[in-house]
Amino acid sequence: MKLPFAEPYKIKMVEPIRRNTRAEREKWIKQAKYNLFNLRSDQVFIDLLTDSGTGAMSDRQWSEMMIGDESYAGASSYFKMKNAIQEITGFTYFLPTHQGRAAENVLFSAMISEGDLIPGNSHFDTTKGHIEYRKAKAIDCTIDEAFDTSVDHPFKGDIDLIKLKAVLENNPKEKIPLIIITATCNSSGGQPVSMRNIKAVSEMAGQYGIPLFIDGARFAENAYFIKKKEDGYADAGIREIVREMFSVVDGMTMSSKKDAIVNMGGFIALNSETLFDKAKTYNILFEGYISYGGMSGRDMNALAQGLYEGTDFNYLDSRIRQVGYLGMKLREAGIPVQFPFGGHAIFVDAKRFLPHIPKEEYVAQTLAIELYIESGVRGVEIGTLLADRDPVTRENRYPILELLRLTIPRRVYTKNHMDYVAAGLINVFDRHLEIKKGFKIVKEAPILRHFTIELERL
Ligand SMILES: *Cc1c(COP(=O)(O)O)cnc(C)c1O
């Protein structure tokens, strides 16, 4: 018998979670104004809201916490983090920030002005938020295949080179301060970007003299997919692939709450000394002195250790296989899910799940609420609420895909939990025609509205 895969770790500490009843959940979600962000975590049984900062640190990371150096300037923890970043990414300079969006805030303050255009594959919501806050525009040049959940394409995070070239060709160079590749591409389903595509974009960016950055929150998962799917990489090590990815770009922003498996932290890493000097000032202004930038010494230590663990093949293999296991269970039950499966989450195609609910009634949010009521599992809407309104017309922006994201925290849940989640969603699928109506908005913020939005049942 072929030995099955199993997690390359065992559990040393546990955290109790509590099951609840359907009646309780119906009451709580109503009190939460049908916004899953408003639920208290103890009202949730299995929390698949996000993989951001929700991972389980290892015993080694916890040991590193104990030997953190809390000196204001020049702490050994800063140098530990610097060495890890240099060794793993190859970039010369780095700035610590308290999380990924803070890295965006600092970098974009140094690079983006009003009226600029920032092309890339689908930008992450905070990235887009920081671009639009500066009255600049994020341009989505993702390949069309990414927007059809039934098309099998190994690298749905790839940038469409024709779309990108059109942006570069038709606009003055001064208006395009940088190109951003998000790897893996969260918004299109945790989909990877191929090495071939990264290199082709890099070449094009070079021809036009425009800096290229990677939003690298899930760079290690991206490298895993390159190893698994791209010709010529089967025998390459994860860290070797990571170095190759970063060798053809000018820098990166990082949410360490993802692939560095820490609860809080981020950084910018880059090669240009001029840009580093410029960004440094904003780092001091917004984040803290350049040798800690919003992080404590112990957190920088844990992050450094997490970067090594997060780029370990056996860890990545078990993580991504766990995500795939949930995807397979749903797919076998006939539930429409983004295929191939992404690295950190399973994305349920809500338009195909609830084809009778109009987009004006927030299809993916409706599905997320139904799954919570059915099972106590909290997923998250990646759809119209997340897409915000058009900054000029103030009309709802209806994205091509309405997705329910089931995001798997790193090293936290077991296979039984995955079975439970699948059963919950299958139950909703069995009664999907009984779900007759969606929701309407009663209160919303002007930007990043999904976090605080309030809804009412139609
Ligand atoms: C999470 C994330 C961010 C923002 O990072 P935070 O740590 O949440 O501020 C940016 N880009 C991508 C791709 C992300 O997944």
Side-chain angles (χ1 to χ4, degrees):
M1 188 175 184
K2 188 169 178 283
L3 293 174
F5 97 91
E7 287 72 12
Y9 51 83
K10 56 184 178 174
I11 297 165
K12 179 143 49 183
M13 189 189 281
V14 295
E15 176 185 346
I17 48 177
R18 191 176 81 80
R19 284 185 74 167
N20 37 42
T21 67
R22 191 184 179 105
E24 284 175 322
R25 295 191 291 268
E26 275 175 354
K27 184 179 79 189
W28 291 333
I29 191 69
K30 189 161 185 238
Q31 284 167 351
K33 312 280 187 204
Y34 298 101
N35 179 345
L36 294 130
F37 286 97
N38 284 339
L39 289 171
R40 294 166 51 120
S41 63
D42 58 8
Q43 295 169 337
V44 174
F45 179 49
I46 298 176
D47 205 348
L48 306 186
L49 184 73
T50 176
D51 64 327
S52 182
T54 53
M57 291 210 296
S58 67
D59 53 354
R60 289 182 190 204
Q61 284 179 292
W62 281 108
S63 321
E64 284 296 331
M65 296 283 283
M66 299 306 292
I67 55 171
D69 177 356
E70 307 303 341
S71 306
Y72 191 93
S76 68
S77 300
Y78 166 78
F79 291 105
K80 201 174 255 181
M81 181 162 157
K82 186 177 167 73
N83 288 340
I85 291 172
Q86 273 176 352
E87 192 180 335
I88 286 172
T89 70
F91 292 117
T92 317
Y93 299 103
F94 105 97
L95 287 168
T97 63
H98 78 274
Q99 62 184 94
R101 71 198 68 187
E104 291 164 354
N105 188 29
V106 169
L107 185 72
F108 295 176
S109 294
M111 294 186 94
I112 299 180
S113 320
E114 183 170 343
D116 284 350
L117 306 172
I118 295 87
N121 47 358
S122 300
H123 299 73
F124 183 67
D125 59 347
T126 62
T127 317
K128 200 185 217 171
H130 273 292
I131 290 170
E132 292 179 350
Y133 179 72
R134 288 170 172 79
K135 299 196 163 52
K137 203 168 166 219
I139 302 184
D140 190 333
C141 299
T142 314
I143 56 169
D144 290 334
E145 286 89 335
F147 302 106
D148 185 339
T149 56
S150 59
V151 172
D152 190 357
H153 183 291
F155 291 100
K156 284 186 171 177
D158 278 1
I159 288 187
D160 186 323
L161 297 168
I162 296 168
K163 290 185 196 168
L164 178 65
K165 197 174 169 83
V167 178
L168 303 184
E169 198 60 43
N170 299 327
N171 294 284
K173 181 185 156 197
E174 314 76 65
K175 287 278 163 213
I176 309 174
L178 78 164
I179 300 168
I180 301 172
I181 299 178
T182 307
T184 61
C185 191
N186 195 343
S187 315
S188 70
Q191 297 292 319
V193 186
S194 64
M195 186 73 83
R196 218 175 114 186
N197 193 252
I198 296 172
K199 287 185 173 170
V201 172
S202 164
E203 206 178 303
M204 196 180 284
Q207 281 163 8
Y208 287 84
I210 296 170
L212 173 62
F213 276 70
I214 289 184
D215 175 349
R218 299 182 187 80
F219 72 92
E221 291 176 5
N222 200 83
Y224 174 88
F225 282 118
I226 288 174
K227 179 177 170 69
K228 284 285 172 179
K229 298 183 179 190
E230 192 162 348
D231 283 348
Y233 289 94
D235 298 325
I238 295 292
R239 290 194 195 128
E240 207 180 320
I241 297 172
V242 166
R243 282 295 283 262
E244 192 173 330
M245 280 164 56
F246 288 132
S247 71
V248 297
V249 305
D250 298 288
M252 69 184 292
T253 54
M254 178 71 187
S255 168
S256 306
K257 303 168 73 171
K258 321 288 173 43
D259 275 0
I261 330 181
V262 288
N263 303 117
M264 192 54 75
F267 61 84
I268 301 167
L270 72 180
N271 287 327
S272 156
E273 189 179 356
T274 321
L275 185 57
F276 173 67
D277 284 340
K278 207 171 165 195
K280 232 160 50 178
T281 311
Y282 293 105
N283 213 65
I284 295 171
L285 190 62
F286 297 143
E287 291 296 294
Y289 183 61
I290 57 163
S291 70
Y292 69 88
M295 296 185 71
S296 40
R298 53 182 172 271
D299 288 337
M300 291 194 279
N301 269 15
L303 198 164
Q305 175 64 24
L307 279 174
Y308 292 108
E309 294 179 13
T311 49
D312 174 75
F313 174 78
N314 290 323
Y315 150 74
L316 282 166
D317 195 40
S318 89
R319 157 150 183 79
I320 291 173
R321 280 183 192 232
Q322 184 183 40
V323 174
Y325 174 77
L326 174 62
M328 281 300 293
K329 293 219 74 143
L330 297 177
R331 204 160 183 246
E332 279 165 14
I335 293 177
V337 288
Q338 168 75 292
F339 192 79
F341 308 128
H344 67 296
I346 293 302
F347 290 72
V348 184
D349 187 336
K351 279 191 195 168
R352 284 165 59 208
F353 195 113
L354 295 172
H356 54 289
I357 304 276
K359 64 180 189 305
E360 291 79 7
E361 297 180 11
Y362 311 110
V363 192
Q365 181 69 10
T366 303
L367 183 55
I369 292 165
E370 287 298 334
L371 176 63
Y372 172 70
I373 291 172
E374 177 68 36
S375 62
V377 173
R378 171 158 71 172
V380 70
E381 188 245 23
I382 305 283
T384 307
L385 297 183
L386 180 74
D388 266 330
R389 288 179 190 276
D390 184 286
V392 180
T393 66
R394 302 307 300 158
E395 291 296 319
N396 266 330
R397 284 190 285 214
Y398 292 105
I400 302 169
L401 290 180
E402 282 277 347
L403 302 167
L404 164 63
R405 189 183 75 185
L406 302 171
T407 338
I408 315 300
R410 293 166 181 76
R411 307 190 288 209
V412 170
Y413 292 116
T414 66
K415 201 168 179 175
N416 285 333
H417 290 117
M418 297 302 112
D419 287 338
Y420 180 97
V421 173
L425 199 62
I426 291 166
N427 287 350
V428 179
F429 195 51
D430 288 343
R431 61 172 176 80
H432 73 281
L433 288 175
E434 293 161 30
I435 302 163
K436 299 261 192 276
K437 284 270 174 204
F439 291 81
K440 68 169 187 200
I441 297 176
V442 289
K443 197 171 165 202
E444 67 181 286
I447 198 165
L448 295 174
R449 62 178 176 176
H450 56 289
F451 288 119
T452 52
I453 206 153
E454 297 184 2
L455 305 168
E456 231 168 54
R457 254 190 208 288
L458 282 166

